Amino acid sequence: MQRLRARLARSQTSLGRGLLSVLARDRLDEDAWEEIEEALLTADVGIRPTTEIVERLRNRTQVLGTRDPAQLRSLLAEELVTALQPELDRTLRTIPSTDQPSVVLVVGVNGTGKTTTCGKLARVLVADGRTVLLGAADTFRAAAADQLQTWGARVGADTIRGPEGGDPASVAFDAVRVGRERGVDTVLIDTAGRLHTKVGLMDELGKLKRVIEKHGPIDETLLVLDATTGQNGLTQARVFTEVADVTGVVLTKLDGTAKGGIVISVQRELGVPVKLIGLGEGADDLAPFDPVEFVDALLG
Ligand code: GDP
């Protein structure tokens, strides 16, 4: 928790402290509510969730007529947690069945942190006693497979790769085949983030999926999003949720932004559970996403 607080320091300073200082005023007048709204929008919470949070908070403070800072903080925290849809199941589907490894496909735009996330996730699983095989299905970017292999060597996972410029689907197919033969627990497949056109992306991901599913179902499709790209990233993310059966979101680079409110926006707009958050470039900088813990860290 202390670590999460430290990593969210930038968001905490700009959003958490800002909101709490307005709520601590003697009077919550129209200007104060506008400032709260502005702070949420500036932190990338998005228009719809901001309006809902402010409306509910306003009603509840009026009904209770409270000026107690601790109570106001907890009302605010409750509303932020509610906006993060705490009822969603955020468990990673990485438990292998008896004859088949669990298969995790990692998708998203280039540069969002897919390869890094594969490495970090492999590390978490290996530390948990699982065997992991990495599939380097990003065959377009010259260094991508090297980068994944380096992560694999670091965390104790082998990497299956194909020739540069080769067919990503065939690498993914091989990775699952080898994973099966070796009896590994989880196969993590890193993909290329080529969002040239929606149709192109659909063809590419569709083929990957069809080919992998010759072995069996894909257990988890994780969409990696860069928190620092804000509402733009969200627009791109929508395309992915439309073309791939995304089962979870990984929001990376939350350490590098003052706009931690993007998590609320992503959660509300995509409706897919945010399952993991990236809090740095290091191997241990991946955390499960817990709405209550996150809001607590955000409010400091
Ligand atoms: P890919 O193209 O989607 O595979 O992206 P990469 O995994 O190559 O990551 C792009 C850059 O983002 C690299 O420099 C990573 O070290 C960095 N990165 C990834 N995740 C995080 C994170 O959670 N925090 C920070 N600060 N940097 C990250």
Short mmCIF file of all heavy atoms in Angstrom, two decimals, residues 155-183:
data_model
loop_
_atom_site.label_atom_id
_atom_site.label_comp_id
_atom_site.label_asym_id
_atom_site.label_seq_id
_atom_site.Cartn_x
_atom_site.Cartn_y
_atom_site.Cartn_z
N VAL A 155 13.24 -13.60 -15.96
CA VAL A 155 12.23 -14.07 -15.00
C VAL A 155 12.08 -15.59 -14.97
O VAL A 155 11.31 -16.12 -14.18
CB VAL A 155 10.85 -13.41 -15.25
CG1 VAL A 155 10.96 -11.90 -15.24
CG2 VAL A 155 10.22 -13.88 -16.57
N GLY A 156 12.81 -16.29 -15.86
CA GLY A 156 12.76 -17.75 -15.83
C GLY A 156 11.66 -18.34 -16.71
O GLY A 156 10.95 -19.25 -16.29
N ALA A 157 11.51 -17.80 -17.92
CA ALA A 157 10.53 -18.35 -18.87
C ALA A 157 11.17 -18.44 -20.25
O ALA A 157 11.87 -17.51 -20.67
CB ALA A 157 9.30 -17.45 -18.92
N ASP A 158 10.94 -19.57 -20.95
CA ASP A 158 11.45 -19.69 -22.33
C ASP A 158 10.58 -18.89 -23.28
O ASP A 158 9.42 -18.62 -22.99
CB ASP A 158 11.44 -21.16 -22.76
CG ASP A 158 12.57 -21.94 -22.13
OD1 ASP A 158 13.53 -21.29 -21.63
OD2 ASP A 158 12.49 -23.18 -22.10
N THR A 159 11.19 -18.54 -24.43
CA THR A 159 10.45 -17.76 -25.43
C THR A 159 10.44 -18.51 -26.76
O THR A 159 11.47 -19.01 -27.21
CB THR A 159 11.13 -16.38 -25.62
OG1 THR A 159 11.19 -15.72 -24.35
CG2 THR A 159 10.37 -15.52 -26.61
N ILE A 160 9.27 -18.58 -27.36
CA ILE A 160 9.15 -19.14 -28.72
C ILE A 160 9.07 -17.97 -29.68
O ILE A 160 8.26 -17.05 -29.49
CB ILE A 160 7.86 -20.00 -28.85
CG1 ILE A 160 7.87 -21.14 -27.84
CG2 ILE A 160 7.69 -20.50 -30.28
CD1 ILE A 160 8.99 -22.15 -28.01
N ARG A 161 9.92 -17.98 -30.68
CA ARG A 161 9.89 -16.87 -31.64
C ARG A 161 9.97 -17.40 -33.07
O ARG A 161 10.33 -18.55 -33.29
CB ARG A 161 11.01 -15.87 -31.36
CG ARG A 161 12.39 -16.49 -31.24
CD ARG A 161 13.38 -15.51 -30.71
NE ARG A 161 13.61 -14.41 -31.66
CZ ARG A 161 14.41 -13.39 -31.43
NH1 ARG A 161 15.04 -13.29 -30.27
NH2 ARG A 161 14.58 -12.45 -32.32
N GLY A 162 9.62 -16.54 -34.01
CA GLY A 162 9.66 -16.95 -35.42
C GLY A 162 10.60 -16.04 -36.17
O GLY A 162 11.23 -15.16 -35.57
N PRO A 163 10.71 -16.21 -37.48
CA PRO A 163 11.58 -15.32 -38.25
C PRO A 163 11.01 -13.90 -38.27
O PRO A 163 9.78 -13.73 -38.20
CB PRO A 163 11.55 -15.93 -39.66
CG PRO A 163 10.31 -16.77 -39.71
CD PRO A 163 10.04 -17.21 -38.31
N GLU A 164 11.89 -12.91 -38.34
CA GLU A 164 11.43 -11.52 -38.38
C GLU A 164 10.55 -11.32 -39.61
O GLU A 164 10.87 -11.80 -40.69
CB GLU A 164 12.65 -10.60 -38.43
CG GLU A 164 12.30 -9.20 -38.06
CD GLU A 164 13.51 -8.28 -38.19
OE1 GLU A 164 14.60 -8.67 -37.75
OE2 GLU A 164 13.33 -7.19 -38.74
N GLY A 165 9.43 -10.65 -39.43
CA GLY A 165 8.51 -10.43 -40.55
C GLY A 165 7.67 -11.66 -40.86
O GLY A 165 6.87 -11.66 -41.79
N GLY A 166 7.83 -12.71 -40.07
CA GLY A 166 7.06 -13.94 -40.28
C GLY A 166 5.60 -13.78 -39.84
O GLY A 166 5.17 -12.70 -39.43
N ASP A 167 4.88 -14.89 -39.92
CA ASP A 167 3.46 -14.85 -39.61
C ASP A 167 3.22 -14.92 -38.09
O ASP A 167 3.56 -15.92 -37.46
CB ASP A 167 2.80 -16.05 -40.32
CG ASP A 167 1.31 -16.10 -40.06
OD1 ASP A 167 0.75 -15.08 -39.59
OD2 ASP A 167 0.71 -17.17 -40.32
N PRO A 168 2.64 -13.86 -37.51
CA PRO A 168 2.41 -13.85 -36.06
C PRO A 168 1.55 -15.03 -35.61
O PRO A 168 1.79 -15.62 -34.55
CB PRO A 168 1.66 -12.54 -35.80
CG PRO A 168 1.75 -11.75 -37.04
CD PRO A 168 2.12 -12.65 -38.16
N ALA A 169 0.56 -15.39 -36.44
CA ALA A 169 -0.35 -16.47 -36.05
C ALA A 169 0.41 -17.79 -35.93
O ALA A 169 0.12 -18.61 -35.06
CB ALA A 169 -1.49 -16.59 -37.05
N SER A 170 1.42 -17.97 -36.81
CA SER A 170 2.12 -19.24 -36.74
C SER A 170 3.01 -19.30 -35.50
O SER A 170 3.18 -20.37 -34.89
CB SER A 170 2.85 -19.51 -38.07
OG SER A 170 4.21 -19.46 -37.92
N VAL A 171 3.55 -18.16 -35.08
CA VAL A 171 4.33 -18.13 -33.82
C VAL A 171 3.42 -18.45 -32.63
O VAL A 171 3.77 -19.24 -31.76
CB VAL A 171 5.01 -16.75 -33.61
CG1 VAL A 171 5.74 -16.71 -32.27
CG2 VAL A 171 5.96 -16.43 -34.74
N ALA A 172 2.24 -17.85 -32.65
CA ALA A 172 1.29 -18.07 -31.54
C ALA A 172 0.89 -19.55 -31.49
O ALA A 172 0.83 -20.16 -30.42
CB ALA A 172 0.06 -17.18 -31.73
N PHE A 173 0.63 -20.12 -32.68
CA PHE A 173 0.25 -21.53 -32.76
C PHE A 173 1.35 -22.42 -32.18
O PHE A 173 1.11 -23.30 -31.36
CB PHE A 173 -0.02 -21.90 -34.23
CG PHE A 173 -0.49 -23.30 -34.42
CD1 PHE A 173 -1.83 -23.64 -34.26
CD2 PHE A 173 0.40 -24.32 -34.76
CE1 PHE A 173 -2.27 -24.94 -34.42
CE2 PHE A 173 -0.04 -25.63 -34.93
CZ PHE A 173 -1.37 -25.93 -34.76
N ASP A 174 2.59 -22.13 -32.62
CA ASP A 174 3.74 -22.90 -32.13
C ASP A 174 3.91 -22.78 -30.63
O ASP A 174 4.24 -23.75 -29.95
CB ASP A 174 5.03 -22.41 -32.80
CG ASP A 174 5.20 -23.03 -34.17
OD1 ASP A 174 4.45 -23.97 -34.48
OD2 ASP A 174 6.08 -22.55 -34.92
N ALA A 175 3.73 -21.55 -30.12
CA ALA A 175 3.93 -21.33 -28.69
C ALA A 175 2.96 -22.20 -27.89
O ALA A 175 3.35 -22.86 -26.92
CB ALA A 175 3.74 -19.85 -28.34
N VAL A 176 1.69 -22.24 -28.32
CA VAL A 176 0.71 -23.04 -27.58
C VAL A 176 1.02 -24.54 -27.75
O VAL A 176 0.95 -25.32 -26.80
CB VAL A 176 -0.74 -22.71 -28.01
CG1 VAL A 176 -1.73 -23.53 -27.19
CG2 VAL A 176 -1.03 -21.22 -27.82
N ARG A 177 1.43 -24.92 -28.96
CA ARG A 177 1.78 -26.34 -29.20
C ARG A 177 2.93 -26.78 -28.28
O ARG A 177 2.85 -27.78 -27.58
CB ARG A 177 2.17 -26.53 -30.67
CG ARG A 177 2.55 -27.97 -31.01
CD ARG A 177 2.93 -28.12 -32.48
NE ARG A 177 4.00 -27.22 -32.91
CZ ARG A 177 5.29 -27.38 -32.65
NH1 ARG A 177 5.69 -28.41 -31.95
NH2 ARG A 177 6.18 -26.50 -33.07
N VAL A 178 4.00 -25.96 -28.28
CA VAL A 178 5.17 -26.29 -27.45
C VAL A 178 4.78 -26.28 -25.96
O VAL A 178 5.20 -27.15 -25.19
CB VAL A 178 6.35 -25.31 -27.74
CG1 VAL A 178 7.50 -25.54 -26.78
CG2 VAL A 178 6.81 -25.44 -29.18
N GLY A 179 3.98 -25.29 -25.60
CA GLY A 179 3.53 -25.19 -24.21
C GLY A 179 2.81 -26.46 -23.78
O GLY A 179 2.99 -26.97 -22.68
N ARG A 180 1.98 -26.96 -24.69
CA ARG A 180 1.24 -28.20 -24.43
C ARG A 180 2.17 -29.38 -24.30
O ARG A 180 2.07 -30.19 -23.36
CB ARG A 180 0.33 -28.45 -25.61
CG ARG A 180 -1.11 -28.35 -25.27
CD ARG A 180 -1.91 -28.51 -26.51
NE ARG A 180 -2.84 -29.60 -26.33
CZ ARG A 180 -3.89 -29.76 -27.11
NH1 ARG A 180 -4.11 -28.93 -28.11
NH2 ARG A 180 -4.71 -30.75 -26.89
N GLU A 181 3.10 -29.49 -25.26
CA GLU A 181 4.04 -30.61 -25.25
C GLU A 181 4.86 -30.63 -23.96
O GLU A 181 5.13 -31.67 -23.39
CB GLU A 181 5.00 -30.52 -26.45
CG GLU A 181 4.35 -30.94 -27.75
CD GLU A 181 5.18 -30.54 -28.97
OE1 GLU A 181 6.34 -30.06 -28.81
OE2 GLU A 181 4.64 -30.67 -30.07
N ARG A 182 5.26 -29.44 -23.54
CA ARG A 182 6.11 -29.37 -22.34
C ARG A 182 5.30 -29.41 -21.05
O ARG A 182 5.87 -29.44 -19.97
CB ARG A 182 6.92 -28.07 -22.36
CG ARG A 182 7.95 -28.03 -23.46
CD ARG A 182 8.86 -26.84 -23.22
NE ARG A 182 9.67 -26.55 -24.37
CZ ARG A 182 10.39 -25.44 -24.52
NH1 ARG A 182 10.37 -24.51 -23.57
NH2 ARG A 182 11.11 -25.23 -25.59
N GLY A 183 4.00 -29.30 -21.18
CA GLY A 183 3.14 -29.30 -19.99
C GLY A 183 3.30 -28.05 -19.14
O GLY A 183 3.19 -28.12 -17.92
#
